[in-house]
Amino acid sequence: MLLSAPAFALALGFATLLRPMTDANRSSEPSTRAQILSDPLSGREVIFAPARTKRPGNHEALREPAAPDEAENCPFCEGREQETPPELFALGTEKGRAPDTPGWKVRVVPNLYPAFERQQVVVHTPAHTRSLADLSDEQLVLIAASWAEAAERAWAQGFDHLLAVINEGVAAGASRPHSHSQLVWLDRLPPEVAAEAPRLRRDGCALCALLHDLDPALKLAERKLGDSTVSLAVAATGRAPYELLVAPDDHQPDAFGSGELLAAALALAAEGVRRLNAVEGASPFNLWLHNFQADGHWHLELVPRLNTYAAIELGGGIFINTLLPEEAATRLREASL
Ligand SMILES: [Zn+2]
Ligand SMILES: [Zn+2]
Ligand SMILES: [Zn+2]
């Protein structure tokens, strides 16, 4: 099919093609350049270009509404344990419960279609629930405990890294709407974690510095546990609008060793999603834990998927963020929950 000239221009993403190239507008090309920022944790390059669009989202990017028969056909719901591979373990179980039967709060099963030698699914709740944002703190404690239990098993079997991730929404790559996380056992640090490791050593940690000097305007919430504080903030150099960062303020490498702090971090991430949803509508997102067994500073990164990554991001490695972090934080803070 041939596209009309304007449609062709839109398909290319070049609005300028619509303008006739005269000498006048050729010379009026804007010469101000946005500053390229470097993310202190990863070294990733980010440009804030807020003039490109008023709102970061387009309606198609929002989460798909629930299908009418979604819960009826959901293999993760309590009572359909036979529809998943046999469970590895479950938490919050009733006394005398047999494996792969009802009576659990969190259930860990092998991934039916693993891409890795070991890849597991943590089913976050027995009742059909579509988002991390809708889980109780008690449930998040059990989820954190299940990640820690899996990590212990991975270390015991000689694996070096456990990559814990949550995808929510089709646009974020989720295959099932029932809230769950995935755990990938690796025999090395994945490249993104390996790239951060030298920047996050105790001696000169970029995340300690970031949190110490954090602009109060970017901070959304915190939770205190004993001497430790976990903070939720808008990422100052996020690659995406509303990108969030959750981390303990003090330098701690291993989240799995401090399950309570990890649960607090998940609760803060859930609050971040609730605020995001209040501002933009039900938003797809990716969330992951960057963990370090040796030296490093663990943290969660939450990347909303309201925008599409294009060639400058994927081919150039330069991320164009259309929403200034201060503006994102203002909107999220003022969201009525
Ligand atoms: Zn379900
Ligand atoms: Zn640190
Ligand atoms: Zn990270």
Side-chain angles (χ1 to χ4, degrees):
M1 186 188 76
L2 283 172
L3 295 172
S4 65
F8 178 67
L10 284 174
L12 282 175
F14 282 117
T16 48
L17 276 185
L18 294 172
R19 286 187 294 155
M21 284 302 268
T22 64
D23 283 349
N25 63 29
R26 198 173 276 135
S27 60
S28 70
E29 199 171 329
S31 61
T32 44
R33 284 181 207 143
Q35 196 188 351
I36 297 183
L37 303 173
S38 172
D39 176 59
L41 273 58
S42 62
R44 183 182 307 111
E45 290 192 356
V46 177
I47 294 177
F48 285 96
R52 286 166 63 92
T53 174
K54 281 205 184 73
R55 305 291 279 183
N58 57 58
H59 199 68
E60 294 96 74
L62 291 180
R63 277 201 71 179
E64 63 292 346
D69 58 349
E70 184 177 288
E72 275 164 53
N73 298 320
C74 176
F76 291 170
C77 280
E78 186 174 38
R80 293 198 199 94
E81 291 79 10
Q82 305 304 320
E83 296 179 25
T84 64
E87 73 191 33
L88 299 160
F89 63 93
L91 297 181
T93 53
E94 287 167 13
K95 243 201 175 119
R97 169 190 178 263
D100 302 312
T101 62
W104 49 273
K105 295 268 192 263
V106 169
R107 196 163 167 262
V108 181
V109 301
N111 191 309
L112 196 52
Y113 307 103
F116 298 86
E117 186 187 343
R118 299 283 171 81
Q119 189 176 351
Q120 300 155 357
V121 173
V122 178
V123 182
H124 287 169
T125 170
H128 195 72
T129 307
R130 298 185 101 225
S131 179
L132 180 75
D134 300 325
L135 300 177
S136 66
D137 280 9
E138 296 73 44
Q139 204 65 27
L140 293 170
V141 166
L142 290 175
I143 292 162
S146 74
W147 289 10
E149 167 72 24
E152 240 172 67
R153 293 176 181 218
W155 311 157
Q157 293 189 40
F159 286 82
D160 291 325
H161 191 80
L162 184 71
L163 183 61
V165 306
I166 298 176
N167 301 320
E168 269 193 23
V170 170
S175 53
R176 296 267 173 211
H178 189 127
S179 180
H180 66 282
S181 44
Q182 297 200 57
L183 304 174
V184 181
W185 299 21
L186 295 168
D187 54 10
R188 63 193 168 89
L189 292 186
E192 293 279 335
V193 181
E196 287 186 351
R199 298 164 181 272
L200 300 184
R201 291 199 187 107
R202 181 172 293 277
D203 188 11
C205 171
L207 183 49
C208 280
L210 186 155
L211 292 165
H212 185 266
D213 302 329
L214 183 66
D215 180 352
L218 296 183
K219 184 149 168 173
L220 297 175
E222 65 178 27
R223 289 203 177 198
K224 289 187 190 297
L225 277 150
D227 292 339
S228 294
T229 302
V230 187
S231 294
L232 166 69
V234 171
T237 45
R239 80 211 82 182
Y242 305 105
E243 183 168 332
L244 301 174
L245 179 66
V246 186
D249 288 357
D250 51 327
H251 188 84
Q252 299 196 27
D254 182 16
F256 301 125
S258 53
E260 280 189 322
L261 285 182
L262 180 56
L266 288 172
L268 286 167
E271 177 182 336
V273 176
R274 284 193 292 277
R275 292 187 176 279
L276 174 64
N277 291 349
V279 175
E280 291 290 343
S283 301
F285 68 86
N286 300 116
L287 176 151
W288 53 82
L289 169 67
H290 277 164
N291 198 65
F292 304 85
Q293 266 188 280
D295 196 7
H297 192 149
W298 71 263
H299 55 278
L300 301 177
E301 296 180 36
L302 194 153
V303 178
R305 298 300 301 272
L306 296 164
N307 58 316
T308 303
Y309 294 113
I312 297 175
E313 284 84 5
L314 299 178
I318 305 168
F319 287 76
I320 300 172
N321 189 336
T322 55
L323 185 66
L324 288 170
E326 296 79 10
E327 172 64 18
T330 300
R331 290 185 195 173
L332 294 172
R333 193 177 299 106
E334 289 173 357
S336 44
L337 297 183

